[in-house]
Amino acid sequence: MKEESNILTFLISDPKDGSFTEDIYTFRNFIGEMKPIVLHEFNNFYTIYNVAGNDFVFRVLIHAGLMDSGGLATGEAIISEFESKEEFKSLELHILTRNVDLFAAGQFVVKKEGRSYYNCKYLNRDDSLESLSNSLPVYRKGNLTITDESSGQEAEVVQKNEPVATEPEVTNVEHNNFAIITALYDDESTAFIQNSKKDRAFTSPMSNVMQLSFKDHDSEGLTTDYLQPYLLNHAQKMGMVDTTFNSVMMLEKYNPKYLIMAGVCGGKQGKVDESGKPIGLKYRDVIIANNIMDIQMGKLEKGVFKPYLFNESMNDQLLSFLEQERLNIKRRMYLLADQNDEEFLKHVQNVEIRIGDYGCGSQVINTDDYFKDEISTRNNKAIAVEMESYGIYRSCRLHNNFSKKGQTLPIVVKGVMDYTDATKDDNYKKDAAKMSYLCVRAMMPLLLDFYDKNIPI
């Protein structure tokens, strides 16, 4: 039978599970290929069905969803609503789920108790989408009739192929785990290089990319370390332009699960005690970027600069995960530090890992009150300023919108080297860069585990 060109795909979910709807719209290939109509109530679909003509052609997916207080999954409740209508008695209803425990490694679809369950983790993969498209039965309203048990009359399926039981292994999707970018070579990249082994057989069309793996670090209490290869790249020049170019090249060439920017930043000086000791943000503290604000883009109108305040933010699930893991990351940083460097170990003990907002611009700042007057007035939650981070987050967002290779999560992890005031110098730059390196290394096994459990490939 010739495939219908006007098939409408309805995806029915629970209105209480808003995070699922947000996730669906990040599955760019799924949205592009299936063009689903996402509805939050069965009655929404039933209303559309009743007003449609007999040439109405459709297929239905149910989101398995949350569990209610009685232990009933949303998907089961929606299926019950379909089954309560005589005209839908013969429909096969297929289920989307984020519950990866139902599937073996690399598996996209399984049959359980006569129903097909599809793994949301792989909704951006072409092979998985082809399987989904071929598996879903397609119905025409004019051919749906109330089943007459005495005659055995059933709804006519316009189009249906048998579902594929399993999908190719995840290894068919080529991912590098981590690509790290720094703005500068000295201190920022060298903090990684000094603690890593270089793969001298590795070649790249980008002259400043190298493949490294961390040197073994034998420390009691350190149960996991990231010992697989990772990519390191430093921009040709500091600033957003070179960093954005390098980001795009790394994304397209190496398709990493994470694109991480490490290095140093200026921090917002907080309160001090009577002796002048900082009570708030300190030199060497590490700031992981949540929301990043472009402070340089705007309009000059009659001599007055009016910023546009473009923003990019961290993945919400990743943000929650890192907030929960901060103490663990700090513990791991201490175990990964050089245990013979007693002075630096004291700094690691005192370091704070903060998750906060960044301002990103095109200037090195050493002017009193600049942070208060130019950044805090635009975002009073901002605690860091530097010149590259917005390009990292923006590049990944655009890449993820159009890529068929899976998502890349961006993270900016920088150590505080100064307070951007007139006393600015490089006295703390090396230590701040080392703190950034330690934090990134401490995070990497945790990040990889998070990605594999939560992010669709």
Side-chain angles (χ1 to χ4, degrees):
M1 179 176 291
K2 183 179 179 181
E3 182 175 347
E4 298 282 341
S5 61
N6 59 339
I7 300 169
L8 297 179
T9 302
F10 290 89
L11 173 55
I12 304 176
S13 180
D14 181 357
K16 297 189 295 294
D17 195 355
S19 65
F20 172 76
T21 304
E22 291 179 8
D23 282 353
I24 280 295
Y25 284 103
T26 67
F27 303 148
R28 299 297 173 181
N29 295 350
F30 174 72
I31 293 295
E33 295 295 325
M34 303 296 291
K35 299 180 176 61
I37 300 169
V38 181
L39 302 176
H40 287 145
E41 298 284 352
F42 165 77
N43 286 335
N44 297 147
F45 171 78
Y46 197 47
T47 299
I48 294 170
Y49 176 84
N50 283 328
V51 300
N54 284 337
D55 60 349
F56 177 55
V57 180
F58 66 93
R59 53 193 172 194
V60 178
L61 271 169
I62 307 298
H63 169 224
L66 302 169
M67 302 288 284
D68 64 19
S69 57
L72 181 65
T74 299
E76 296 295 328
I78 296 173
I79 287 173
S80 295
E81 290 182 292
F82 270 96
E83 291 175 342
S84 71
K85 305 297 182 184
E86 288 295 324
E87 55 266 59
F88 297 145
K89 289 266 186 201
S90 299
L91 262 64
E92 291 183 23
L93 299 172
H94 295 231
I95 298 176
L96 277 181
T97 178
R98 291 182 290 184
N99 181 5
V100 296
D101 294 338
L102 290 174
F103 306 91
Q107 197 172 38
F108 174 60
V109 56
V110 296
K111 273 204 164 186
K112 183 179 179 183
E113 298 177 355
R115 291 182 182 147
S116 294
Y117 291 80
Y118 299 90
N119 190 347
C120 284
K121 184 174 182 180
Y122 302 130
L123 281 183
N124 254 7
R125 283 175 52 179
D126 289 342
D127 51 358
S128 300
L129 287 175
E130 183 178 0
S131 173
L132 177 60
S133 180
N134 289 337
S135 301
L136 289 178
V138 178
Y139 298 97
R140 182 185 288 112
K141 179 180 177 179
N143 295 339
L144 281 177
T145 58
I146 298 174
T147 301
D148 183 343
E149 293 183 1
S150 62
S151 66
Q153 185 182 22
E154 294 184 354
E156 178 186 341
V157 178
V158 175
Q159 174 189 330
K160 182 193 173 192
N161 297 314
E162 287 301 313
V164 180
T166 60
E167 290 302 312
E169 290 298 314
V170 177
T171 51
N172 288 347
V173 178
E174 293 184 4
H175 262 304
N176 285 275
N177 288 331
F178 296 98
I180 299 171
I181 294 180
T182 67
L184 299 171
Y185 179 80
D186 288 339
D187 294 327
E188 298 182 37
S189 273
T190 54
F192 288 88
I193 294 169
Q194 290 166 358
N195 292 281
S196 301
K197 299 169 289 187
K198 185 176 180 179
D199 180 356
R200 301 196 177 278
F202 174 80
T203 60
S204 171
M206 300 174 67
S207 60
N208 53 344
V209 175
M210 59 187 77
Q211 182 165 277
L212 307 171
S213 55
F214 292 120
K215 297 174 182 176
D216 291 341
H217 188 89
D218 185 16
S219 178
E220 185 177 351
L222 184 68
T223 55
T224 57
D225 190 10
Y226 185 77
L227 299 177
Q228 299 176 51
Y230 69 94
L231 300 170
L232 180 67
N233 166 260
H234 65 89
Q236 289 84 348
K237 294 182 180 179
M238 68 175 69
M240 200 185 305
V241 173
D242 281 51
T243 298
T244 302
F245 172 79
N246 279 21
S247 298
V248 172
M249 292 289 287
M250 296 289 279
L251 290 168
E252 289 301 308
K253 177 65 180 173
Y254 299 110
N255 189 34
K257 292 181 178 178
Y258 288 94
L259 183 64
I260 300 178
M261 183 158 210
V264 299
C265 65
K268 178 181 180 180
Q269 186 169 16
K271 296 180 180 179
V272 296
D273 61 19
E274 294 179 355
S275 67
K277 182 180 179 181
I279 299 173
L281 191 69
K282 308 183 300 298
Y283 296 129
R284 308 182 185 86
D285 278 355
V286 175
I287 304 176
I288 300 172
N290 175 21
N291 183 63
I292 301 174
M293 174 180 65
D294 181 350
I295 61 175
Q296 70 185 35
M297 187 66 69
K299 177 171 65 174
L300 190 63
E301 185 175 304
K302 297 180 181 179
V304 178
F305 177 71
K306 297 182 179 180
Y308 290 151
L309 302 181
F310 294 148
N311 291 274
E312 293 292 338
S313 298
M314 180 188 289
N315 175 281
D316 288 339
Q317 289 176 281
L318 180 58
L319 172 64
S320 297
F321 175 77
L322 291 177
E323 285 176 338
Q324 296 168 19
E325 292 290 333
R326 271 191 289 188
L327 290 178
N328 186 28
I329 294 168
K330 180 177 176 178
R331 178 188 67 83
R332 290 173 54 80
M333 287 174 65
Y334 185 85
L335 294 173
L336 285 165
D338 182 355
Q339 302 298 301
N340 295 318
D341 189 342
E342 294 182 2
E343 182 179 357
F344 189 72
L345 278 174
K346 291 178 183 178
H347 296 316
V348 179
Q349 281 183 314
N350 293 323
V351 76
E352 295 291 337
I353 300 172
R354 303 172 186 269
I355 301 175
D357 291 2
Y358 271 52
C360 183
S362 59
Q363 300 168 320
V364 175
I365 301 166
N366 59 347
T367 301
D368 288 338
D369 295 329
Y370 182 91
F371 208 112
K372 180 182 69 174
D373 296 340
E374 301 296 332
I375 298 177
S376 295
T377 54
R378 300 171 191 175
N379 179 355
N380 62 10
K381 294 182 179 180
I383 57 173
V385 62
E386 44 75 87
M387 301 168 63
E388 296 87 18
S389 57
Y390 183 84
I392 294 283
Y393 277 25
R394 183 66 179 166
S395 296
C396 285
R397 175 179 288 276
L398 295 177
H399 170 80
N400 292 340
N401 285 351
F402 300 106
S403 174
K404 294 187 177 182
K405 301 177 182 178
Q407 294 187 61
T408 294
L409 296 185
I411 308 180
V412 172
V413 183
K414 295 199 173 187
V416 177
M417 66 168 283
D418 60 54
Y419 292 131
T420 71
D421 55 20
T423 65
K424 174 183 173 66
D425 56 40
D426 288 349
N427 289 343
Y428 296 94
K429 182 187 172 194
K430 188 171 184 178
D431 276 4
K434 285 173 64 176
M435 286 297 183
S436 172
Y437 143 74
L438 272 180
C439 185
V440 169
R441 182 172 178 177
M443 292 164 59
M444 287 166 78
L446 310 178
L447 291 174
L448 192 57
D449 184 59
F450 168 85
Y451 191 102
D452 291 344
K453 288 179 179 178
N454 294 280
I455 305 303
I457 295 178

